[in-house]
Each structure stands twice: as structure tokens, then as C-alpha cells.
Amino acid sequence: MEEPRELWLAYRLRWKRRRLLFRALRKRRQLAVVADRTCRIRRGDILAFVTVRNEALRLPFFLEHHRRLGVDHFLFVDNESDDGTREWLAAQPDVSLWHTGESYKLSRFGMDWLTWLQIRHGHGHWCLTLDADEILIYPHHDTRPLPALTEWLERDGRESLGALMLDMYPKGPPGAQSYAAGEDPFDTLAWFDAGNYFIEKQAKLRNLWIRGGVRARMFFADRPRRAPTLNKVPLVRWNRRYVYNTSTHQILPRRLNAVYAEDGGEVLSGVLLHTKFLNTIVERSREEKDRREHFEVADSYRAYYDALIQDPDLWCPDSTRFTGWRQLVALGLMSRGAWV
Amino acid sequence: MSGPLGVVMLVHTALERAEQIARHWAAAGCPVVIHVDRSVSRARHDAFARALGDVEHIVFSRRFRCEWGTWGLVAASQAACETMLARFPEVTHVYLASGACLPLRPVEELIDYLAERPQTDFIESATTSEVPWTIGGLHEERFTLSFPFSWKRHRLLFDTYVELQRLVGRKRRLPNGLVPHMGSQWWCLTRQTLSAILQDPERATYDRFFRRVWIPDESYFQSLARLYSRRIESRSLTLSKFDYQGKPHVFYDDHLQLLRRSDCFVARKIWPRANRLYEAFLTDPSSAMKRAEPNPGKIDRLFAKAVERRTRGRPGLYMQSRFPREGFENGVTAGPYSMFQGFAELFEDFEPWLARMTGARVHGHIFAPERAEFADGAHIVAGALSDSAALRDANPKAFLTNLIWNTRGERQCFQFGPRDNQRINWTIAKDPNAQISVISGAWAVPLFRSNRDFAELRAEAAHLQAVEAAHLKVLRSPWTKARIRIWSMAEFVEAPMEPLQTILDELGSRHPARLSEVPRMTDLDGFGRFLQNLKNQGMHPYLMGDFPVEPSAPRRPPKPPRKPYVVR
């Protein structure tokens, strides 16, 4: 029998979930359809949900990679792009696109919009919820497409897959690198921090809270509590009653956050390779600093943006060069679990 | 004219793949009897049957509903086998396979293999008490209880009924003294054995009994074959692996080489979309005939490792999908390490000396309040672990486990003391990988040698002593699992060689024979006076033991040095 306090918490979370769903329902009017190809979604298709703003540079590779993994249909929300993102996306055969000019921050960083689309189109599908600068990989991703993974998860009785966000960076100042749309970003963003992550368990939503990596090392060494959260649950077998709580870090109902083993064993997990530190980061930071549309408490991140604008070299002699998923498994950043 | 090997195929999904496999068997001259699960719609079944209509020697048998763990699977096998034996009199062996089975070697090799062993039945069959693979608690009870309810659809009824029967002590008797055997449901039986089972005058009795057994497809033929077979080879010719939950493993494209090298005849389950596997094994008749025995050893090891990884994990690893509760870590840290308290204070060159003598990585005070003093003054070490005190103190345990994990294969040593972050104390004390050596009271040496106001020194000394006393209490508690040695400073100073030798021996010294070089001890002239001054100020320094006030005074006859003691 659970303690009364646990039951009370579960009850409150249930209402929180309903509130968030209702909020998404209200915000559906903010979305204007640009290209609706959702009639092409078939039963069992794997869907991806993304909010974007000026990502013309990243999207060709992003789409290409996730198509290759086996995403059947992409549902995008475009938040006022002016770099051709919208036109480019609308022309893709496996993309449905909506547009909105409303505030990203007030939409819980795009989550309200995506939640509505998930209610409408995600029910019963395995759904990936990503940012345009996140590239999902998982053990065997080069030989086993997403359907193999999701079938295996289902047989294992799991509804969600956890993935660590791994900040990838170049050697030398990011601003000094070059990148053209469609290229493999990890030719230049070839480095990462392998062993400086710290984890605690958050009892309320039963998720792990992981921070660390290069951003903690470079920008939050004096105030680690503010370091960005790196745990995510990007892949979920969706139900229209589900909703992400903060970005894709936490999801309700909270059982979906249990993407880890506590008995000493390892379960299957993936990694989101983060392409934040492409050469556009400097310009982007300047813009974000002024827009103040990222992070809950934007002011406390001013120093962070200031540091990014300086275009520092993130590389150090103890950085690790990325060679593939096997390396990440060996380093203990993700695990194959029992998937052989 | 059909061949001597008949294949019974049980099919329920991925019908396109099943068709491909059936054609493959048939092309080698094997008659095939296909059973399609009743839950497959009539339309799909008919389309499937039509698609195979052009192939000779493929017959469809009466359909049953096959739910996992129920009698349907046995009934389906019986019906299909009866059809096989009746329709194809040339058949000498019947191979039971599924739609997800893939022949790995040319069918002719299998036919030859069986022809060389005409009287042998290949069926895994072990008595229930000796099999480790039953998962979920039902062992002998599979036979002694009855299971009329579906596990898949009516779990609650299933469980309740099991509990109820246990409560009343129900024990069904096996008919005619049959001994229950279990094994893989994929077998290959000779015509004699199979027909003896199917035509047994007592078959109705057996069927009635097994109808209520749990997972009868793993025990019906396995038990009855024991009655009739002349020669049982208790293994399956089908390579089939199960995970730690008892679910069959799936093979994907990247298993190609592994499957090739296994020399098994048939493998399951194959992922229906593993195009490369189907292409490789079905289209190219490839290599010359091999006479090799099936050798699934390598696959067995791989899968055993996976089970180990899933259930025990990698010791000392904390990550996004492995975050053990306290007590379930299977190793708090990834490998052994040493913590030294008071040594760097008492010896002037302890760290370089230790590094020279052992080849270990010797850090300074990695839990120091200013920064983590990594070896050689490094600011970042393996894994890009930073020396920032704030980052470290946000989660000291993660800092330590990261350091040890990142440097797997290289022994780590570090200094510790009462000035350092004490939040790590319990973690280290409870870690069997930790080797802790403490010279208690040695924190007083830097105070003694410093040039600060005495009042300040006195306050600091009192504070450090209280902190170290609390730490020693932790180290001496019954919950510690580390290897711990504690000397008082006075004790250590009197005979330093023996403890140093012991420490080096444990670390695996480079010069195992004798201590060739010792670290230089700080000049302690006047230390006794310093302690006396502290006492005179009303403080009570006791952790360092007794030091005479006047070093020039003739020493008392030395006590025999106390042996260093090991706490656990």
C-alpha cells in the first residue's frame, strides 16, 4: 500500500497532466496549417514532432538522419522562421507543417503546440519528440531501424526510451568552423565530454536529473545548480493522455520517466547528439540573449550567453573524439541493456 | 517424389516471410505442412495459401487458435504432423519449425545429417527438477496444477486460480506414471517416435492431462518422446535463445556473421525485416558442404553476457539507464583506489615518492575546498572531469565514481584530510574498493609549521580535530566495507617503515623486495611544544597521540610499536 502522501502526489500530478493537456487544447488555435499530409500516416508508423525557428542549416541533415532511422512522418511547428525553413519544410513529402507567430516561451518552449499535435496524430504511435539540433542514436542504430527498436521495447514491456543529451563541439572556437546544410555536422562537432556527468533522482516525477558535460564544465563551473539538464525521454509509445512536463526532460504520467534500472542492471538507452555548437552559435546566442525566449529564468543565463558570444574553444586535451555508438556504449554513456 | 525430411511450419504473423521459407524448404524437396493460426483472418489465410498454390508438396492443415502457453500449439502440431505422416509416406523425420525460423545451412546438409542418424530423435528433454530456464516461478506446478485461464487475457483469473490451487494443496497426478520432461518446443522426431506418440491407444488420456498443463508445447512431445524413442539426443537443432524474462531473442542483420559461424541448421526468431539475413541464407547456396557439428557456443556466450549486463550491469557505472539504489550497486566504484590521510602532511615529498614507487596516479587533496588537486596540477583529467570545487561539491559521490570510472585500469591514489569536503566520507567508507590509510592528528603539522596567529591556529586545530574525530567514527563504524588502517601520528612517527611497506605491498610496488627509498619526514622538532601550547590554551589535541614536550630530553624507553591494525 502506498503512503497517503504518495497517493496525494499522484493525484496532484494527474491534475497537473490534465491541466497541461487542456492548455494544449486551448493553444491549438495558435497553429495555422501550412502543409497537412497527415492523411498519409498509417497504422504503426513512427512519427517525429519538432518545433523549429530558423533551422534551415540543420534541417537537411536532421531529416535525412531520422528518415534513415525509420521515421515515417514528421510533424513540424514553425515559429516565425525567416530563413526559408518554412518553404523548405513544406516541400518535403513526409512533412506536415504548421505555423505560429506566438511566443515560444509562453507555449512552454513549443511543448503546448506539439502536445496538441500529439493528441491529434500521435495516439497509438511511437513518437519521437526532438529539437532540430538533436540527432538520435541508439545501440545498433546503423543496422537496426527504429521499428526494430520499438518492437523490442514493446516486447520488453516498455513504453519509453531515455536518451542522454550529449553536447558535441569542435576543436577550436565554434565560430571559426564551417558547415554547409546537409553535411554531417559531426565531421566538425567531433568531440564530447565523456565522464563528467552527475546524476540525482528526482523523487517527485521519478526521473533522473542529469547535468554536466561541456556546458557545465565551461559555463557553470561556479554555479552547477544552473547547469542545463541533459536527461530526456524523446521516444514514447504515445497515448493522447500523455504530456511532456518540462521540455522532453520529464513526462506525465511519471511511470514513463522510469527509463533506468535501480537494481544494478542496465537497460537499453540512447543518446541525443546535440549540434548546438555549430558555427552559428555565436550569432544565435546574441539573438537569444535579446529575445529571452529560452530558459525559465532568462536573466540568470545572461552570463552564459555572454560567455558563448565570446566564442570560446570548448575543446580540452581530455575531450573524447566521437567514433560511433559502440564507443558511447563502452564509455557507459548509453547501454545496450539486454538487446543483443 | 518428396524427400525424407518433412517440415511442419507453425505460422501466425509475417506471412510473406513464411511463404519465402516454405518455398525454400520445398525447393530442397521437403514436403511442408503449414499450420496457420486461427486468429489470422480467413482472407489473409486464403491469400497466403493461394500464393503457395504453385508449389508441390505444400499442404495446409486444420487450423487451431494458438495462444502462447496454451494447448492450441500442441493441437496444431499434432494435426499438422498427422497430415504429414499420412500424406507423405517417404518422410522419415519431421522437423517442427515456425514462420520465424530461418535455415542457416543448405537443407541438403540437414537431410544428410539426419540420414546419418536414422534412429535419433532431436528433442531437448530434461526432467523438470533439472532445468534452470523456467522463469516466473511455475516449475513442477506447470504439471501438478491446472491452467484453464489465459495468462495473456485474464491475468488476474490466472493468478488467482493458481493461488487457490496452492492453497488447497492441489496435486494432479500424471497419467500412467509419466515423467514430466521439458525443453525447447522446436524438435525433429523420427517417423517411428512421432507416429507412436500420435497413435498411442492412451493418447486421449495424455491429451486430457496436457490440455490443462501450463505451456504444454514445451512438455507434451518432450515427455512422451521419452516413452517411445530409441535414441534421444536431448538438444534442439533449432538455435533459439531466450532472454532473462524467457522471451525469445530476435536476430537482426548484424548477426549475419555470428549465425554463419554457429553452424546451426536453423535459427529463430528472425526479425521479419532483416532483409540481409533472408537474402544471405535463402538465396546463396554458398559454401561447399560442411560436415561441421552445430556450435552455438559463441552465441551462447554473447547472450549470457547480455543477461549479465541487463541484470548486474557494469560495476561502478552510474548513467542514464543504470542508477542503482544504495546496496544494489554491484560495486560502488569501478575499481580499487587508495585514500591517504595525513601522509602528505607528515612527509614532504609523499606524493611524488608514492607515484615513483607504485606507478599509480597520485593526486593531492581532490576534495580540497579550493579545487580538486589533481596530479601534476592538472585542471581537467580523464573524461574531461573538471577541478571546479563547485561542480564537485554539487555531487561529491558522482565526482568520485566518475574519476574511478574514467580511469579504469589505472590505480588512483588521493590525499584526504579534515579540511576537505566531508560529505564523501560515508560513500568511501562503505566502498569495498577503497583502501584507506589514516595517520590521525597529522593535520596539526601544517599548523605547526605555519606562521599564523596562535589564537587562529588554536581555533582551526579544534575545528580540524572535531572533523577528523567524526570521520574516524565513520571509519570505525560497523557499516564500513573499505580496507582501513589507522595509526595515531605518534605511533607512526616512531616506526614509519613498516606501515609504509605494508601500503606499498598492497598497492603492488614496482620494487617488491624492500623499501629502497623512503619519503622525507617533516622536521618535527618543537612539535611537542606546539601541542603543549595548544593544551595551555585550553584545547585538547589527542588524535595525534603522545609527543614529548622537549625533543632534546632523553626519550623514554620506546614502547614496542603497535602493529598497524586492519579494520575488517
Side-chain angles (χ1 to χ4, degrees):
Chain A
M1 189 65 197
E2 283 183 287
E3 286 176 51
R5 198 199 281 177
E6 265 298 297
L7 288 174
W8 173 235
L9 178 62
Y11 177 77
R12 273 186 7 229
L13 289 174
R14 177 180 300 175
W15 275 103
K16 172 161 199 185
R17 181 167 57 79
R18 288 173 179 165
R19 213 175 58 232
L20 291 176
L21 285 169
F22 182 67
R23 191 182 153 115
L25 213 65
R26 271 190 305 137
K27 299 229 170 157
R28 71 186 188 276
R29 295 181 207 290
Q30 297 182 353
L31 295 176
V33 67
V34 179
D36 188 350
R37 300 187 180 93
T38 51
C39 55
R40 296 193 195 168
I41 298 176
R42 286 159 306 156
R43 232 182 93 199
D45 273 3
I46 293 174
L47 312 180
F49 294 83
V50 197
T51 303
V52 286
R53 180 169 182 283
N54 289 345
E55 294 290 5
L57 188 63
R58 286 192 175 89
L59 283 174
F61 181 83
F62 173 90
L63 232 58
E64 176 55 33
H65 173 86
H66 292 106
R67 264 180 201 144
R68 203 167 48 224
L69 283 191
V71 172
D72 297 290
H73 200 86
F74 296 84
L75 296 94
F76 275 94
V77 172
D78 172 45
N79 186 203
E80 286 284 76
S81 294
D82 52 16
D83 67 342
T85 295
R86 197 183 317 165
E87 296 72 23
W88 189 83
L89 278 177
Q92 301 299 314
D94 51 357
V95 167
S96 292
L97 178 66
W98 287 262
H99 166 258
T100 180
E102 303 288 332
S103 162
Y104 179 67
K105 189 173 174 181
L106 287 181
S107 155
R108 296 196 300 125
F109 312 105
M111 273 349 279
D112 286 341
W113 302 323
L114 294 187
T115 302
W116 166 244
L117 294 180
Q118 281 158 343
I119 294 173
R120 276 292 306 277
H121 304 289
H123 188 74
H125 292 274
W126 279 91
C127 292
L128 258 179
T129 307
L130 298 168
D131 286 337
D133 59 2
E134 293 171 344
I135 301 292
L136 175 74
I137 64 169
Y138 51 85
H140 302 290
H141 71 96
D142 46 358
T143 50
R144 304 179 195 174
L146 276 169
L149 174 72
T150 55
E151 275 171 35
W152 190 86
L153 287 171
E154 268 175 50
R155 275 157 33 87
D156 203 31
R158 289 177 59 188
E159 289 183 282
S160 55
L161 179 83
L164 175 80
M165 193 151 70
L166 191 65
D167 290 328
M168 307 296 290
Y169 50 83
K171 189 172 177 178
Q177 316 298 318
S178 64
Y179 176 77
E183 289 176 0
D184 185 345
F186 307 112
D187 290 342
T188 48
L189 304 182
W191 303 84
F192 62 94
D193 282 15
N196 54 9
Y197 300 89
F198 51 103
I199 308 179
E200 27 194 295
K201 188 181 165 181
Q202 291 189 307
K204 194 174 154 196
L205 287 177
R206 295 183 186 157
N207 61 296
L208 294 185
W209 188 14
I210 308 180
R211 285 162 301 167
V214 65
R215 279 185 284 169
R217 166 164 71 81
M218 291 293 294
F219 307 118
F220 296 91
D222 50 343
R223 40 189 188 135
R225 297 263 135 212
R226 287 247 174 265
T229 305
L230 302 176
N231 50 290
K232 291 213 160 186
V233 190
L235 182 62
V236 175
R237 191 191 156 92
W238 206 262
N239 182 297
R240 62 172 78 88
R241 307 294 303 163
Y242 294 171
V243 65
Y244 280 112
N245 186 39
T246 47
S247 171
T248 53
H249 300 307
Q250 298 167 325
I251 184 170
L252 289 168
R254 57 184 172 164
R255 71 185 137 84
L256 298 171
N257 292 321
V259 292
Y260 54 96
E262 288 191 288
D263 58 359
E266 294 175 30
V267 300
L268 180 65
S269 53
V271 159
L272 292 170
L273 300 174
H274 200 198
T275 65
K276 183 183 179 66
F277 294 108
L278 275 185
N279 51 1
T280 46
I281 178 76
V282 181
E283 189 190 324
R284 224 23 211 266
S285 304
R286 210 168 277 141
E287 195 184 311
E288 299 300 349
K289 189 186 162 196
D290 296 337
R291 269 184 86 226
R292 300 156 65 95
E293 281 278 295
H294 284 266
F295 293 113
E296 300 274 1
V297 267
D299 276 336
S300 56
Y301 288 91
R302 183 164 302 172
Y304 167 56
Y305 283 123
D306 284 339
L308 279 175
I309 291 166
Q310 299 302 313
D311 198 14
D313 186 357
L314 308 172
W315 185 87
C316 73
D318 285 293
S319 297
T320 308
R321 194 184 180 105
F322 179 65
T323 61
W325 66 265
R326 283 176 194 279
Q327 172 196 35
L328 300 187
V329 167
L331 288 170
L333 289 169
M334 67 181 180
S335 177
R336 285 192 278 180
W339 203 28
V340 219
Chain B
M1 179 67 195
S2 59
L5 172 64
V7 178
V8 167
M9 268 177 76
L10 306 181
V11 173
H12 65 114
T13 53
L15 299 186
E16 307 72 34
R17 286 301 184 195
E19 180 193 333
Q20 215 178 341
I21 300 291
R23 282 180 186 279
H24 181 78
W25 289 116
C30 297
V32 181
V33 176
I34 299 180
H35 174 272
V36 182
D37 191 334
R38 255 258 292 283
S39 44
V40 174
S41 72
R42 171 167 288 272
R44 284 188 68 206
H45 170 265
D46 291 350
F48 177 55
R50 254 197 318 279
L52 281 169
D54 61 320
V55 192
E56 228 187 328
H57 307 319
I58 291 189
V59 178
F60 286 79
S61 70
R62 196 184 139 203
R63 295 169 69 193
F64 293 84
R65 188 175 298 280
C66 298
E67 191 176 318
W68 180 74
T70 63
W71 172 252
L73 279 157
V74 179
S77 314
Q78 287 176 332
C81 288
E82 279 169 341
T83 310
M84 174 69 74
L85 296 179
R87 291 281 296 272
F88 302 101
E90 309 85 359
V91 164
T92 60
H93 282 82
V94 175
Y95 201 112
L96 185 66
S98 81
C101 287
L102 176 66
L104 303 183
R105 289 166 66 173
V107 179
E108 294 76 28
E109 286 188 27
L110 176 57
I111 294 172
D112 289 353
Y113 187 87
L114 294 172
E116 284 163 25
R117 299 158 179 82
Q119 304 290 336
T120 310
D121 295 295
F122 291 91
I123 181 166
E124 193 178 45
S125 159
T127 52
T128 44
S129 47
E130 274 124 49
V131 294
W133 62 72
T134 49
I135 288 161
L138 292 169
H139 217 76
E140 306 227 321
E141 289 178 329
R142 283 180 178 210
F143 301 95
T144 57
L145 306 184
S146 80
F147 301 88
F149 300 108
S150 159
W151 185 82
K152 274 217 162 118
R153 285 172 295 138
H154 309 296
R155 185 81 55 92
L156 186 68
L157 265 176
F158 181 96
D159 289 341
T160 317
Y161 194 59
V162 165
E163 282 307 318
L164 193 71
Q165 294 177 84
R166 281 178 182 159
L167 207 65
V168 301
R170 174 157 194 207
K171 270 213 158 23
R172 293 207 301 155
R173 282 241 315 276
L174 277 84
N176 305 338
L178 191 69
V179 183
H181 282 70
M182 296 197 307
S184 162
Q185 67 265 54
W186 312 110
W187 42 252
C188 177
L189 295 177
T190 58
R191 175 178 278 270
Q192 291 101 316
T193 307
L194 190 56
S195 55
I197 292 173
L198 295 174
Q199 292 157 15
D200 190 316
E202 288 283 316
R203 179 174 150 190
T205 318
Y206 296 131
D207 284 8
R208 204 176 317 119
F209 175 79
F210 277 99
R211 207 175 274 277
R212 290 275 178 268
V213 163
W214 177 232
I215 320 185
D217 50 318
E218 283 183 2
S219 58
Y220 179 82
F221 290 99
Q222 289 73 2
S223 303
L224 293 177
R226 287 282 167 188
L227 298 181
Y228 304 107
S229 176
R230 288 191 225 170
R231 201 166 160 246
I232 281 192
E233 181 86 5
S234 179
R235 65 186 159 100
S236 173
L237 292 177
T238 303
L239 171 72
S240 174
K241 301 302 296 178
F242 293 88
D243 66 11
Y244 72 111
Q245 292 172 315
K247 297 199 188 95
H249 268 298
V250 178
F251 290 104
Y252 302 93
D253 279 346
D254 47 287
H255 291 122
L256 179 62
Q257 292 309 323
L258 199 68
L259 290 174
R260 273 234 169 93
R261 280 197 302 257
S262 75
D263 286 327
C264 291
F265 289 107
V266 178
R268 86 180 297 271
K269 294 171 86 162
I270 310 294
W271 192 46
R273 288 158 74 172
N275 298 334
R276 241 180 98 205
L277 288 187
Y278 280 98
E279 238 164 68
F281 289 112
L282 294 187
T283 56
D284 86 82
S286 77
S287 52
M289 297 288 245
K290 285 188 287 188
R291 298 258 161 234
E293 273 289 326
N295 173 26
K298 199 175 153 74
I299 293 187
D300 285 341
R301 281 191 295 280
L302 184 78
F303 283 80
K305 237 175 101 183
V307 171
E308 169 87 8
R309 185 167 55 230
R310 176 61 189 82
T311 54
R312 305 259 298 150
R314 288 171 275 182
L317 174 63
Y318 298 81
M319 47 95 72
Q320 54 163 336
S321 55
R322 178 184 201 263
F323 196 65
R325 279 187 295 269
E326 197 178 321
F328 287 77
E329 293 98 343
N330 175 26
V332 179
T333 46
Y337 59 95
S338 307
M339 175 172 116
F340 295 96
Q341 184 152 334
F343 288 73
E345 284 72 21
L346 190 59
F347 297 102
E348 285 174 0
D349 56 349
F350 179 71
E351 291 166 32
W353 171 80
L354 188 64
R356 265 201 312 281
M357 297 301 284
T358 60
R361 193 100 178 127
V362 183
H363 303 285
H365 287 259
I366 56 171
F367 288 97
E370 299 80 20
R371 54 176 280 266
E373 297 168 359
F374 291 129
D376 308 324
H379 289 283
I380 294 173
V381 292
L385 193 61
S386 155
D387 69 345
S388 150
L391 277 177
R392 175 199 66 202
D393 294 342
N395 194 330
K397 182 181 176 186
F399 174 82
L400 177 73
T401 54
N402 276 338
L403 176 67
I404 305 298
W405 173 261
N406 293 345
T407 57
R408 302 190 294 290
E410 182 193 47
R411 177 80 177 219
Q412 304 294 306
C413 302
F414 61 89
Q415 320 302 321
F416 195 75
R419 282 185 71 241
D420 300 343
N421 187 341
Q422 302 289 311
R423 274 175 60 206
I424 194 67
N425 290 354
W426 271 113
T427 305
I428 296 180
K430 288 202 264 187
D431 182 2
N433 279 326
Q435 182 207 350
I436 303 177
S437 309
V438 181
I439 305 175
S440 68
W443 43 263
V445 177
L447 297 185
F448 155 62
R449 289 170 58 101
S450 77
N451 188 21
R452 287 156 66 188
D453 279 354
F454 200 78
E456 213 179 289
L457 287 181
R458 184 212 171 285
E460 170 121 21
H463 169 67
L464 294 179
Q465 175 157 275
V467 171
E468 185 167 82
H471 186 196
L472 292 180
K473 207 169 155 192
V474 169
L475 295 182
R476 285 173 174 138
S477 93
W479 288 284
T480 56
K481 294 205 177 74
R483 283 182 70 79
I484 299 171
R485 287 194 172 75
I486 302 169
W487 302 270
S488 77
M489 187 175 153
E491 221 171 18
F492 197 94
V493 166
E494 235 168 44
M497 295 301 275
E498 200 184 317
L500 287 176
Q501 181 74 54
T502 316
I503 287 163
L504 287 188
D505 288 348
E506 273 194 0
L507 271 170
S509 162
R510 278 178 181 168
H511 321 279
R514 278 209 39 83
L515 212 50
S516 52
E517 183 197 345
V518 289
R520 199 166 57 250
M521 198 185 288
T522 310
D523 181 11
L524 292 176
D525 262 1
F527 187 63
R529 166 67 25 215
F530 171 75
L531 294 182
Q532 187 57 47
N533 286 346
L534 285 174
K535 286 180 189 162
N536 296 346
Q537 294 285 325
M539 193 218 150
H540 178 60
Y542 65 95
L543 286 177
M544 51 291 287
D546 288 331
F547 277 86
V549 178
E550 296 303 332
S552 49
R555 289 210 169 194
R556 292 166 294 162
K559 286 182 290 182
R562 257 173 75 192
K563 292 269 184 213
Y565 56 92
V566 179
V567 184
R568 286 230 244 177

